[in-house]
Amino acid sequence: MDMKAHLSQLGLTTINPGTQIGSHNLSTGSNITSVSPVDGASIGSTGVCSAADYEKVVAAATEASLAWRNVPAPQRGEVVRLYGAALRKHKDALGALVSYEMGKSLQEGLGEVQEMIDICDFAVGLSRQLYGLTMHSERPGHRMYEQWHPLGVVGIISAFNFPVAVWNWNTALAWVCGNACIWKPSEKTPMTAVACQNIWNEVTADMDHVPDGLSCIIQGDYTVGQMMTSDKRVALISATGSIRMGKIVAQAVAARLGKSLLELGGNNAIIVEPDADLKMVVPGTVFGAVGTCGQRCTSTRRLIIHSSIYDKVVDALKSAYGQLRIGDPLDQNNHVGPLIDTDAVAAYNSALEAVVHQGGRIIVEGGVLDGAGYESGCYVKPAIAEADNNMEIVQHETFAPILYVMRYDTLDEAIAMQNGVVQGLSSAIMTSNLRSAERFLSPNGSDCGIANVNIGTSGAEIGGAFGGEKETGGGRESGSDAWKAYMRRQTNTINYSTELPLAQGIKFEF
């Protein structure tokens, strides 16, 4: 694959801007170097946003939001439609860059760009459907209704594992809702952010009604994100990342009574019933556990198997894991690419040591791969460990391809195990029993924001609202009515009579 050609197509060079107001690049000081976990090579560098440049960004975004909110929503949708068309044009190049910079398979990289295209399509339709309700007033000669207005400036903090899709989940909706966006991407994947901004600039270059500050980027570490989270001019902070990060962001935003949308960690489980179809259980589990090298917030971490079929399922998983091909994710013959960096490898090793120390048993050996093709030091073997749900390490989300398997005897016990973690993102049950499926989906079943039947925990579609409960943060992005997070609700009452009656029949006469 000619990665240089892809980088050139996306407008990327050796040194790239770290602060962007539309097509306007600001001067920056120190640089972030992006190193590919695929081969350890440098992709390029970006600058770091300074406090002075941040002030210019938020001023431009604020000004842009004031102009953009007066552009009719269908016209805003047309801009997003054109952005989606440009993503189609650049899908191969951007998908390859996602794979190379993050380490996920090429198919997953292309799929991530397809998610961007899909949410643009969704947002275009939404631009004509920002509906409010009309309510009957208790007072004669009155009409009551609600409408939705733009928030203003939306700040987006994204994570490395989905370096472009999650940003676009937010921006596509925020733009059609009339907001300007400031993006703080992960410092581990800065080049994909610059590429997305370059595509945006290409689309909007000749559009006089699209202000520069509508799409802005600020690169850097957590200190750059802190400038946004503490800034009352940024009406909404949408943050994706760890629970620890989310708690810090939530406190900072709450201190100024701002709005936050949090998409945090997952500790996702699949329950396998005795009558489950193993032709679905095995591939659903394996992709959920090893896809993106276990670095999805929806990755399958726990497999809760009925005792009567436990050995059969475990043997099938061992066989499947023995067929996995680990290597360069740009080679479509491989199933698993690298972890994002050597820090992630260290966390993976620590988790495997912890599960044994805490009483578990490794049943598919892990380990770090070395030698030809693994020079980056980021390639590891997906592992399976027999464990107890209450183990400290099992309660913790390790962002790596480690699957914990455990037994259950009754469905109530399995559901209690599934729910017995602080996270509440994605869940699934594999069953042919209608009653079991409905029990799992009932108020007494899964407590997660996503609950699936006969599919795995990973691979959500954009049409449904994405997000979780408990310490996953409670936020919702993408489909359904998630657009409401990017707008403010206003209730309106109009009196078209010649009287002024008060609500609740209150009399106030003089």
Side-chain angles (χ1 to χ4, degrees):
M1 179 172 291
D2 191 348
M3 187 56 63
K4 288 185 178 179
H6 287 319
L7 296 177
S8 177
Q9 178 181 333
L10 296 169
L12 298 171
T13 59
T14 303
I15 301 174
N16 302 273
T19 309
Q20 295 174 272
I21 300 173
S23 59
H24 181 52
N25 303 329
L26 301 182
S27 60
T28 53
S30 57
N31 289 332
I32 301 170
T33 299
S34 177
V35 176
S36 171
V38 174
D39 55 14
S42 172
I43 305 173
S45 67
T46 68
V48 173
C49 181
S50 66
D53 283 346
Y54 172 77
E55 286 300 318
K56 296 175 183 176
V57 167
V58 75
T62 301
E63 182 179 356
S65 71
L66 298 177
W68 187 242
R69 70 187 183 186
N70 290 310
V71 175
Q75 291 184 30
R76 301 194 295 249
E78 174 63 9
V79 176
V80 174
R81 184 190 70 79
L82 293 171
Y83 186 60
L87 289 171
R88 287 179 170 87
K89 171 185 171 183
H90 294 291
K91 179 179 176 179
D92 288 347
L94 185 56
L97 175 59
V98 168
S99 178
Y100 188 57
E101 186 172 39
M102 187 269 146
K104 62 177 60 177
S105 73
L106 178 59
Q107 282 298 309
E108 290 181 90
L110 294 170
E112 184 168 346
V113 181
Q114 187 61 49
E115 282 192 68
M116 300 175 74
I117 294 167
D118 293 343
I119 196 64
C120 285
D121 288 348
F122 182 91
V124 172
L126 178 64
S127 68
R128 294 182 181 271
Q129 300 178 75
L130 301 174
Y131 299 138
L133 298 174
T134 297
M135 292 77 73
H136 287 281
S137 173
E138 66 186 56
R139 291 171 282 187
H142 286 58
R143 182 167 69 88
M144 185 164 57
Y145 71 101
E146 68 179 24
Q147 59 181 333
W148 295 83
H149 294 305
L151 287 176
V153 177
V154 171
I156 301 160
I157 300 173
S158 64
F160 72 85
N161 59 330
F162 279 83
V164 295
V166 172
W167 166 73
N168 210 182
W169 282 4
N170 283 273
T171 51
L173 300 191
W175 284 330
V176 298
C177 289
N179 304 294
C181 296
I182 303 174
W183 182 15
K184 191 278 178 196
S186 170
E187 62 269 32
K188 297 181 180 183
T189 51
M191 298 292 280
T192 49
V194 178
C196 290
Q197 186 72 6
N198 288 346
I199 296 171
W200 171 261
N201 293 337
E202 172 188 312
V203 170
T204 60
D206 299 320
M207 296 183 180
D208 294 336
H209 65 296
V210 178
D212 265 351
L214 197 61
S215 179
C216 301
I217 292 183
I218 53 173
Q219 301 266 16
D221 61 13
Y222 72 94
T223 59
V224 173
Q226 284 178 338
M227 289 190 279
M228 277 204 306
T229 58
S230 61
D231 191 341
K232 64 182 181 181
R233 294 168 294 183
V234 182
L236 169 69
I237 296 290
S238 176
T240 302
S242 68
I243 291 173
R244 182 192 64 81
M245 179 276 287
K247 289 181 176 180
I248 294 171
V249 169
Q251 292 178 50
V253 177
R256 59 180 176 86
L257 297 181
K259 296 179 67 175
S260 60
L261 193 168
L262 302 175
E263 298 287 358
L264 310 178
N267 195 344
N268 316 293
I270 299 175
I271 296 171
V272 184
E273 285 269 87
D275 57 6
D277 185 344
L278 290 190
K279 294 193 301 296
M280 291 191 287
V281 171
V282 174
T285 301
V286 175
F287 175 73
V290 311
T292 323
C293 203
Q295 296 171 112
R296 291 184 175 218
C297 51
T298 55
S299 290
T300 305
R301 309 290 178 198
R302 299 173 294 143
L303 192 66
I304 304 169
I305 311 167
H306 193 272
S307 297
S308 65
I309 58 168
Y310 181 84
D311 291 337
K312 182 179 181 180
V313 172
V314 168
D315 286 345
L317 288 173
K318 287 180 180 178
S319 175
Y321 270 55
Q323 300 173 58
L324 291 175
R325 294 183 295 274
I326 307 166
D328 183 348
L330 295 169
D331 180 347
Q332 297 194 59
N333 291 313
N334 292 325
H335 298 104
V336 185
L339 289 169
I340 185 65
D341 55 25
T342 54
D343 288 342
V345 173
Y348 159 87
N349 284 328
S350 295
L352 290 177
E353 292 172 3
V355 72
V356 174
H357 179 73
Q358 293 170 22
R361 181 172 68 93
I362 305 296
I363 56 178
V364 172
E365 292 289 337
V368 182
L369 296 170
D370 55 21
Y374 304 125
E375 290 87 355
S376 70
C378 297
Y379 291 87
V380 301
K381 293 187 287 186
I384 301 177
E386 191 174 62
D388 184 273
N389 197 59
N390 294 319
M391 287 180 180
E392 182 182 354
I393 189 61
V394 176
Q395 292 285 311
H396 174 75
E397 180 192 35
T398 302
F399 233 47
I402 301 174
L403 177 68
Y404 302 111
V405 295
M406 53 201 75
R407 306 170 190 259
Y408 78 93
D409 293 313
T410 68
L411 182 56
D412 284 348
E413 178 189 1
I415 291 173
M417 293 167 68
Q418 138 68 39
N419 294 343
V421 293
V422 299
Q423 308 89 348
L425 179 53
S426 187
S427 59
I429 187 170
M430 295 289 188
T431 184
S432 298
N433 188 314
L434 178 63
R435 288 177 175 170
S436 294
E438 291 295 336
R439 172 78 170 81
F440 180 74
L441 300 177
S442 77
N444 299 312
S446 170
D447 64 2
C448 293
I450 298 169
N452 298 326
V453 176
N454 290 331
I455 62 171
T457 62
S458 193
E461 299 179 33
I462 62 96
F466 180 90
E469 299 300 319
K470 302 190 292 188
E471 292 194 9
T472 299
R476 292 296 185 276
E477 294 173 336
S478 193
S480 185
D481 65 349
W483 62 271
K484 293 179 178 179
Y486 307 93
M487 304 196 83
R488 58 181 176 87
R489 186 197 307 252
Q490 184 180 82
T491 301
N492 310 107
T493 304
I494 300 171
N495 178 3
Y496 59 89
S497 74
T498 59
E499 304 295 330
L500 188 63
L502 301 179
Q504 296 86 46
I506 294 172
K507 300 297 183 182
F508 186 76
E509 299 174 349
F510 56 89

